[in-house]
Amino acid sequence: MIKTVEWTNEGVSMLDQRLLPTEEKYLILRSYEEVADAIKKMVVRGAPAIGVSAAFGLALGAKQSVGTSIADLEFDFDYMCEVMGSTRPTAVNLFWAIERMRQALRRAKEKTQDVEEAKQILVDEALKIYQEDLESNRAMGRFGGELLQDGATVLTHCNAGALATAGDYGTALGVIRGARDLGKRIAVIADETRPFLQGSRLTAWELSKDQIPVTLITDNMAGHFMKQGKVDAVVVGADRIAANGDTANKIGTYMVAVLAKRHNIPFYVAAPVSTLDLSILTGEEIPIEERDAKEVTHVRDQQLAPEGIEVHNPAFDVTPNELITAIITDRGVAREPYTQSLKKLVESAAVA
Ligand code: MRU
């Protein structure tokens, strides 16, 4: 099992994804500042993995607090939440996890005056978020695995696998693993996913490690292979899904969805309910992270473009709901009209 992020006695253990696929190195992060920095610098990435890491970071931060009262802890914790929340703007799982941790502190406050006990409640909540993530990916795998045909070739964009979650299964790749675990033979086409190369560096690495057949293509080849009838389905992850089903995911996802529609290929989004943001009505309201120009002009230290060239580098785009065949969640599969089906799933999550 690939372990993306873990809580240990020494601190938060994290696989440094910037070094993959050539080096497998785990870092031990000992403070909430180090965790926030790791999220910002993409040591860890992928919406659910960012959420789990933030929760662990806040648990570490609570342990760092030297305050002697719950009020002191609360004061420190508010500041840590600000720092954590300013790391990456698009993946809503980050804000969802911060809110879960804030609620845990509110519960702790009602229960105890003992700061150490309150800190333990925060550590337990972070561990719960971690565990739930592993379980929700398995559930998505079961629901989504049913939708794929035996012998299918599935195209995926970016990395929505074990590396984008707490570990083990992943979301979009969880659906592929779910189909495999149902005894279906599935092959994958992985888009390389410029500019950060999550497809070539991460998806190709983790699927090969798991012995799932994978073929790497550059992003501009997807249409060609769809036209040739070589793609049976597309499955991608999500960073934030609006109430109407509009979905933010890695830049280039929208292009793949348009191509899939053109070629009558089902386009599935796989994401846990923690990726749903029903407070926003459409994808227009999703904040899109703009990243450093160097990711476009360089690959690692190799310069590929003229010095000082003007660059755009949005990290995500929004796929409109009408291009999405179904949204596979850990609570079941949602279909159009998404405003109703997604709301229903969230309400079922609230009572479960
Ligand atoms: O910039 P990243 O690597 O954090 O972007 C990741 C993606 O866009 C994933 O597809 C998404 O988070 C889903 S991960 C299960």
Side-chain angles (χ1 to χ4, degrees):
M1 161 174 165
I2 295 168
K3 293 185 172 181
T4 306
V5 55
E6 263 194 313
W7 181 260
T8 74
N9 288 336
E10 290 155 81
V12 176
S13 158
M14 221 177 246
L15 179 58
D16 189 344
Q17 299 193 26
R18 297 168 305 179
L19 305 178
L20 290 171
T22 48
E23 209 181 322
E24 263 179 68
K25 184 176 166 194
Y26 282 85
L27 305 176
I28 296 286
L29 310 177
R30 293 187 166 83
S31 67
Y32 79 91
E33 293 98 329
E34 283 181 9
V35 174
D37 197 50
I39 295 173
K40 210 173 193 141
K41 295 192 174 142
M42 311 270 281
V43 171
V44 67
R45 30 64 51 201
I50 291 172
V52 171
S53 302
F56 280 158
L58 292 173
L60 266 187
K63 287 179 60 153
Q64 283 168 259
S65 170
V66 290
T68 51
S69 68
I70 299 273
D72 292 341
L73 176 61
E74 230 182 344
F75 182 83
D76 290 347
F77 197 75
D78 272 349
Y79 178 71
M80 292 167 207
C81 290
E82 289 293 315
V83 172
M84 210 55 84
S86 66
T87 51
R88 296 195 70 192
T90 304
V92 77
N93 307 60
L94 171 68
F95 307 98
W96 171 88
I98 293 172
E99 186 48 34
R100 279 270 304 253
M101 294 297 281
R102 280 188 188 279
Q103 280 172 17
L105 184 54
R106 284 197 281 274
R107 274 201 316 277
K109 211 171 113 184
E110 280 165 20
K111 186 172 174 237
T112 182
Q113 282 308 307
D114 180 344
V115 190
E116 292 312 313
E117 194 183 341
K119 289 180 184 178
Q120 190 55 49
I121 290 173
L122 288 168
V123 173
D124 291 346
E125 185 68 11
L127 286 167
K128 198 164 164 229
I129 290 172
Y130 167 85
Q131 193 55 40
E132 283 174 15
D133 185 62
L134 293 175
E135 284 160 18
S136 82
N137 294 328
R138 287 274 169 170
M140 256 176 282
R142 284 192 296 275
F143 291 123
E146 300 282 351
L147 301 175
L148 301 180
Q149 305 292 321
D150 182 25
T153 297
V154 177
L155 184 138
T156 191
H157 190 74
C158 193
N159 173 268
L163 291 167
T165 60
D168 179 38
Y169 232 52
T171 58
L173 300 192
V175 166
I176 288 159
R177 289 186 168 104
R180 176 207 54 193
D181 293 347
L182 287 171
K184 298 177 183 176
R185 290 155 303 152
I186 305 289
V188 177
I189 294 179
D191 282 350
E192 76 172 338
T193 317
R194 279 275 293 152
F196 210 72
L197 303 174
Q198 287 94 333
S200 57
R201 294 191 307 103
L202 309 177
T203 297
W205 177 80
E206 79 162 82
L207 290 178
S208 310
K209 219 173 153 71
D210 211 7
Q211 280 154 15
I212 294 176
V214 55
T215 305
L216 178 65
I217 62 169
T218 62
D219 301 324
N220 50 359
M221 295 175 187
H224 172 74
F225 287 112
M226 288 185 184
K227 191 159 171 253
Q228 288 192 338
K230 299 227 165 98
V231 178
D232 301 303
V234 176
V235 187
V236 296
D239 290 86
R240 193 185 292 230
I241 302 174
N244 71 344
D246 290 352
T247 294
N249 190 49
K250 181 51 54 195
I251 191 75
T253 303
Y254 170 53
M255 195 168 69
V256 177
V258 171
L259 284 169
K261 187 74 161 185
R262 168 78 174 86
H263 296 96
N264 263 321
I265 296 167
F267 181 94
Y268 299 115
V269 170
V273 290
S274 53
T275 305
L276 302 179
D277 183 358
L278 302 194
S279 73
I280 57 173
L281 298 180
T282 76
E284 293 284 309
E285 295 173 68
I286 301 176
I288 301 293
E289 177 182 10
E290 182 75 24
R291 291 189 59 84
D292 195 340
K294 196 170 175 222
E295 290 178 358
V296 176
T297 56
H298 290 65
V299 169
R300 296 211 164 122
D301 284 329
Q302 176 71 48
Q303 187 175 334
L304 304 173
E307 198 77 44
I309 193 80
E310 200 64 40
V311 165
H312 286 308
N313 187 15
F316 303 96
D317 58 27
V318 176
T319 298
N321 58 13
E322 69 265 21
L323 299 180
I324 301 170
T325 310
I327 299 177
I328 303 157
T329 77
D330 44 345
R331 294 278 162 175
V333 177
R335 292 183 189 267
E336 280 190 304
Y338 290 109
T339 310
Q340 285 159 36
S341 58
L342 292 177
K343 189 164 175 265
K344 223 166 153 183
L345 286 178
V346 168
E347 282 165 0
S348 74
V351 293

